[in-house]
Amino acid sequence: MLKRKGKLKGDKFDVFSNIIVIIFAIMSLFPLYWLITSSLKTSAAVVKMPPDWFPKTFNLSNYADVFEHNPAFKWALNSITVSLVATIALIIVGSLAAYAFSKLEFKGKNIIFIIFISSLMIPKEVMIVPLYRIVDDMGMINSLHGMIWPNVATAFGVFLLKGFFDSIPDSLRESAKMDGASELRIFVRIMLPIVKPGIAALFILFFVDVWNDYLWQLVVGQEESAKTLMVGTATLMQDLNPNFAYKMAGATIAAIPMLVVFLVFQRSFTSGITAGAEKG
């Protein structure tokens, strides 16, 4: 009887908790819903009060205008190039450094790691001026290189991946060395496949971070040909007589690649974050 009462109470709690989760999920998705539906309305319908919760007409001309009157394809290509190259470069550099800090022994390793990770406490905005001067001296202003390589010089990848390498038993590496495997072969053929969930999580987190790095891309990409999708979309907001539906369409176009990346890597991202939580 007590078991039955306990089970009934547990079922009621599950139902209640599921309702709460559903409510919060709807609240989280509502801004995305409002963005997409507003992009299909007229400008007057976007600011109408009370609002139309569902568009009465589907106005696709907003999307056509974004691509017809602006180099949106060029902006999108620039954003994809910057985000993809920066993320892949960070994964390569970060995984090598994380493996070295985790498995190799060298003088001053712990001190260097602490100094390295301490750089994460400095906001990027604080370094904008000196970083801009460095990039300018290297001739990378108004080029994608100026947006890519400063993003690679961050300790975030090392911080995230080191925990995954720490969880791998040292005996596995020692056995491989006894079999005659080189350090690079151990890293590529043994270690990287094991930390694949962490790499997937890092890929999504950093790709999204670089994609949304509006301030630095605005500072470096001043010419029209060097603008990214985030910066180009923001320029749509500078009209004196704004077309809000037109701007919503531009923002939706900028958000779509992020949704695609997350949906494609969702399972790997979830398993990577879960594994990282278990190791912590």
Side-chain angles (χ1 to χ4, degrees):
M1 189 70 177
L2 289 174
K3 275 187 178 181
R4 192 171 179 182
K5 284 184 178 180
K7 185 178 179 182
L8 185 61
K9 187 180 288 186
D11 291 340
K12 288 182 178 179
F13 177 77
D14 289 341
V15 172
F16 177 75
S17 60
N18 287 335
I19 292 173
I20 296 297
V21 169
I22 291 172
I23 291 174
F24 276 101
I26 293 173
M27 292 172 60
S28 300
L29 290 174
F30 181 76
L32 180 62
Y33 166 79
W34 190 251
L35 174 67
I36 295 174
T37 55
S38 296
S39 69
L40 300 172
K41 300 176 182 177
T42 62
S43 183
V46 173
V47 296
K48 177 184 174 183
M49 286 296 169
D52 294 327
W53 300 108
F54 188 79
K56 294 180 179 179
T57 58
F58 290 90
N59 185 17
L60 296 176
S61 62
N62 295 321
Y63 290 94
D65 290 342
V66 171
F67 287 97
E68 184 178 347
H69 300 124
N70 302 280
F73 283 112
K74 176 65 174 176
W75 294 345
L77 181 61
N78 287 345
S79 286
I80 292 171
T81 302
V82 169
S83 302
L84 195 59
V85 174
T87 303
I88 293 174
L90 177 79
I91 289 174
I92 295 173
V93 174
S95 59
L96 285 167
Y99 175 74
F101 281 120
S102 176
K103 298 302 180 185
L104 304 184
E105 293 297 331
F106 52 91
K107 190 174 181 180
K109 180 176 77 171
N110 293 332
I111 296 176
I112 296 173
F113 181 72
I114 291 173
I115 296 172
F116 203 57
I117 297 301
S118 297
S119 64
L120 292 174
M121 296 186 292
I122 304 174
K124 190 174 182 179
E125 291 75 12
V126 175
M127 300 183 290
I128 285 288
V129 174
L131 192 58
Y132 178 85
R133 295 189 63 178
I134 293 173
V135 171
D136 188 25
D137 291 340
M138 298 179 69
M140 293 192 295
I141 297 298
N142 291 316
S143 73
L144 301 187
H145 292 287
M147 303 178 194
I148 293 172
W149 304 118
N151 279 307
V152 179
T154 175
F156 178 71
V158 181
F159 173 74
L160 184 65
L161 293 179
K162 184 178 181 296
F164 287 88
F165 283 112
D166 286 342
S167 67
I168 302 175
D170 292 334
S171 58
L172 191 62
R173 174 173 169 268
E174 292 168 1
S175 299
K177 288 187 75 69
M178 289 178 63
D179 290 337
S182 64
E183 202 68 64
L184 182 60
R185 187 178 181 84
I186 294 172
F187 171 73
V188 174
R189 303 297 290 271
I190 299 176
M191 298 296 178
L192 281 185
I194 296 176
V195 300
K196 191 182 295 183
I199 292 175
L202 176 61
F203 181 92
I204 294 180
L205 290 171
F206 197 71
F207 187 93
V208 172
D209 185 61
V210 176
W211 183 276
N212 294 323
D213 191 12
Y214 169 77
L215 179 59
W216 179 245
Q217 293 171 6
L218 176 65
V219 170
V220 177
Q222 300 167 1
E223 295 181 354
E224 192 72 22
S225 61
K227 287 182 179 178
T228 59
L229 193 55
M230 297 302 295
V231 176
T233 302
T235 60
L236 302 177
M237 305 293 291
Q238 297 175 357
D239 301 331
L240 294 176
N241 185 22
N243 183 331
F244 292 102
Y246 178 55
K247 303 177 195 312
M248 291 291 186
T252 301
I253 293 170
I256 286 175
M258 292 298 91
L259 296 175
V260 173
V261 168
F262 182 78
L263 290 175
V264 170
F265 293 96
Q266 180 184 8
R267 183 169 297 181
S268 298
F269 175 73
T270 305
S271 62
I273 293 297
T274 304
E278 291 174 353
K279 293 175 181 65

mmCIF file of all heavy atoms in Angstrom, residues 101 108-122 155:
data_model
loop_
_atom_site.group_PDB
_atom_site.id
_atom_site.type_symbol
_atom_site.label_atom_id
_atom_site.label_comp_id
_atom_site.label_asym_id
_atom_site.label_seq_id
_atom_site.Cartn_x
_atom_site.Cartn_y
_atom_site.Cartn_z
ATOM 1 N N PHE A 101 49.170 19.842 -21.636
ATOM 2 C CA PHE A 101 48.981 20.183 -20.225
ATOM 3 C C PHE A 101 48.472 18.995 -19.412
ATOM 4 O O PHE A 101 48.741 18.896 -18.212
ATOM 5 C CB PHE A 101 47.995 21.349 -20.087
ATOM 6 C CG PHE A 101 48.597 22.689 -20.362
ATOM 7 C CD1 PHE A 101 48.101 23.486 -21.382
ATOM 8 C CD2 PHE A 101 49.666 23.161 -19.612
ATOM 9 C CE1 PHE A 101 48.661 24.736 -21.637
ATOM 10 C CE2 PHE A 101 50.232 24.397 -19.867
ATOM 11 C CZ PHE A 101 49.728 25.193 -20.888
ATOM 12 N N GLY A 108 57.437 23.902 -15.142
ATOM 13 C CA GLY A 108 56.530 25.038 -15.008
ATOM 14 C C GLY A 108 55.158 24.818 -15.614
ATOM 15 O O GLY A 108 54.441 25.786 -15.891
ATOM 16 N N LYS A 109 54.767 23.563 -15.798
ATOM 17 C CA LYS A 109 53.496 23.261 -16.474
ATOM 18 C C LYS A 109 52.306 23.864 -15.741
ATOM 19 O O LYS A 109 51.441 24.504 -16.356
ATOM 20 C CB LYS A 109 53.320 21.739 -16.600
ATOM 21 C CG LYS A 109 52.026 21.345 -17.296
ATOM 22 C CD LYS A 109 51.930 19.842 -17.492
ATOM 23 C CE LYS A 109 51.565 19.144 -16.192
ATOM 24 N NZ LYS A 109 51.252 17.699 -16.427
ATOM 25 N N ASN A 110 52.247 23.667 -14.447
ATOM 26 C CA ASN A 110 51.084 24.150 -13.684
ATOM 27 C C ASN A 110 51.003 25.677 -13.664
ATOM 28 O O ASN A 110 49.913 26.254 -13.784
ATOM 29 C CB ASN A 110 51.141 23.613 -12.252
ATOM 30 C CG ASN A 110 50.956 22.111 -12.200
ATOM 31 O OD1 ASN A 110 50.304 21.524 -13.067
ATOM 32 N ND2 ASN A 110 51.539 21.467 -11.196
ATOM 33 N N ILE A 111 52.158 26.326 -13.518
ATOM 34 C CA ILE A 111 52.167 27.797 -13.498
ATOM 35 C C ILE A 111 51.736 28.355 -14.857
ATOM 36 O O ILE A 111 50.935 29.295 -14.944
ATOM 37 C CB ILE A 111 53.565 28.313 -13.116
ATOM 38 C CG1 ILE A 111 53.923 27.874 -11.692
ATOM 39 C CG2 ILE A 111 53.636 29.834 -13.241
ATOM 40 C CD1 ILE A 111 55.316 28.247 -11.258
ATOM 41 N N ILE A 112 52.279 27.764 -15.917
ATOM 42 C CA ILE A 112 51.925 28.217 -17.262
ATOM 43 C C ILE A 112 50.428 28.012 -17.512
ATOM 44 O O ILE A 112 49.760 28.883 -18.084
ATOM 45 C CB ILE A 112 52.754 27.470 -18.332
ATOM 46 C CG1 ILE A 112 54.235 27.810 -18.180
ATOM 47 C CG2 ILE A 112 52.269 27.814 -19.728
ATOM 48 C CD1 ILE A 112 55.153 26.987 -19.076
ATOM 49 N N PHE A 113 49.901 26.887 -17.047
ATOM 50 C CA PHE A 113 48.475 26.612 -17.258
ATOM 51 C C PHE A 113 47.602 27.621 -16.505
ATOM 52 O O PHE A 113 46.601 28.096 -17.041
ATOM 53 C CB PHE A 113 48.159 25.187 -16.803
ATOM 54 C CG PHE A 113 46.716 24.802 -17.006
ATOM 55 C CD1 PHE A 113 46.216 24.573 -18.283
ATOM 56 C CD2 PHE A 113 45.862 24.676 -15.919
ATOM 57 C CE1 PHE A 113 44.888 24.223 -18.475
ATOM 58 C CE2 PHE A 113 44.529 24.330 -16.097
ATOM 59 C CZ PHE A 113 44.046 24.101 -17.383
ATOM 60 N N ILE A 114 47.995 27.946 -15.275
ATOM 61 C CA ILE A 114 47.226 28.920 -14.488
ATOM 62 C C ILE A 114 47.234 30.290 -15.170
ATOM 63 O O ILE A 114 46.197 30.960 -15.276
ATOM 64 C CB ILE A 114 47.794 29.022 -13.059
ATOM 65 C CG1 ILE A 114 47.518 27.718 -12.289
ATOM 66 C CG2 ILE A 114 47.180 30.208 -12.320
ATOM 67 C CD1 ILE A 114 48.193 27.657 -10.935
ATOM 68 N N ILE A 115 48.407 30.703 -15.656
ATOM 69 C CA ILE A 115 48.509 31.993 -16.355
ATOM 70 C C ILE A 115 47.670 31.963 -17.634
ATOM 71 O O ILE A 115 46.954 32.921 -17.971
ATOM 72 C CB ILE A 115 49.972 32.319 -16.680
ATOM 73 C CG1 ILE A 115 50.774 32.501 -15.391
ATOM 74 C CG2 ILE A 115 50.077 33.562 -17.557
ATOM 75 C CD1 ILE A 115 52.265 32.647 -15.607
ATOM 76 N N PHE A 116 47.749 30.835 -18.316
ATOM 77 C CA PHE A 116 47.023 30.672 -19.575
ATOM 78 C C PHE A 116 45.520 30.779 -19.347
ATOM 79 O O PHE A 116 44.816 31.508 -20.047
ATOM 80 C CB PHE A 116 47.381 29.300 -20.159
ATOM 81 C CG PHE A 116 47.180 29.190 -21.639
ATOM 82 C CD1 PHE A 116 47.820 30.048 -22.504
ATOM 83 C CD2 PHE A 116 46.338 28.221 -22.161
ATOM 84 C CE1 PHE A 116 47.634 29.951 -23.878
ATOM 85 C CE2 PHE A 116 46.142 28.114 -23.523
ATOM 86 C CZ PHE A 116 46.800 28.980 -24.385
ATOM 87 N N ILE A 117 45.020 30.069 -18.337
ATOM 88 C CA ILE A 117 43.588 30.062 -18.060
ATOM 89 C C ILE A 117 43.137 31.392 -17.466
ATOM 90 O O ILE A 117 41.987 31.807 -17.653
ATOM 91 C CB ILE A 117 43.232 28.893 -17.114
ATOM 92 C CG1 ILE A 117 43.543 27.559 -17.794
ATOM 93 C CG2 ILE A 117 41.776 28.941 -16.704
ATOM 94 C CD1 ILE A 117 42.800 27.340 -19.100
ATOM 95 N N SER A 118 44.026 32.082 -16.767
ATOM 96 C CA SER A 118 43.664 33.371 -16.183
ATOM 97 C C SER A 118 43.272 34.394 -17.239
ATOM 98 O O SER A 118 42.539 35.350 -16.960
ATOM 99 C CB SER A 118 44.834 33.920 -15.358
ATOM 100 O OG SER A 118 45.126 33.066 -14.266
ATOM 101 N N SER A 119 43.737 34.188 -18.464
ATOM 102 C CA SER A 119 43.387 35.120 -19.543
ATOM 103 C C SER A 119 41.890 35.094 -19.846
ATOM 104 O O SER A 119 41.357 36.054 -20.422
ATOM 105 C CB SER A 119 44.171 34.782 -20.816
ATOM 106 O OG SER A 119 43.803 33.496 -21.305
ATOM 107 N N LEU A 120 41.206 34.022 -19.451
ATOM 108 C CA LEU A 120 39.760 33.938 -19.674
ATOM 109 C C LEU A 120 39.000 34.953 -18.824
ATOM 110 O O LEU A 120 37.839 35.269 -19.120
ATOM 111 C CB LEU A 120 39.250 32.523 -19.366
ATOM 112 C CG LEU A 120 39.707 31.417 -20.321
ATOM 113 C CD1 LEU A 120 39.237 30.058 -19.808
ATOM 114 C CD2 LEU A 120 39.178 31.663 -21.724
ATOM 115 N N MET A 121 39.627 35.435 -17.763
ATOM 116 C CA MET A 121 38.955 36.404 -16.892
ATOM 117 C C MET A 121 38.989 37.828 -17.452
ATOM 118 O O MET A 121 38.341 38.722 -16.916
ATOM 119 C CB MET A 121 39.586 36.385 -15.493
ATOM 120 C CG MET A 121 39.408 35.052 -14.767
ATOM 121 S SD MET A 121 40.013 35.097 -13.072
ATOM 122 C CE MET A 121 41.779 35.252 -13.342
ATOM 123 N N ILE A 122 39.759 38.035 -18.524
ATOM 124 C CA ILE A 122 39.862 39.367 -19.124
ATOM 125 C C ILE A 122 38.842 39.476 -20.250
ATOM 126 O O ILE A 122 38.919 38.726 -21.229
ATOM 127 C CB ILE A 122 41.276 39.614 -19.674
ATOM 128 C CG1 ILE A 122 42.320 39.415 -18.568
ATOM 129 C CG2 ILE A 122 41.388 41.019 -20.265
ATOM 130 C CD1 ILE A 122 43.748 39.503 -19.071
ATOM 131 N N ALA A 155 42.162 30.765 -24.617
ATOM 132 C CA ALA A 155 42.400 29.569 -23.807
ATOM 133 C C ALA A 155 41.134 28.752 -23.591
ATOM 134 O O ALA A 155 41.161 27.750 -22.876
ATOM 135 C CB ALA A 155 42.990 29.962 -22.459
#
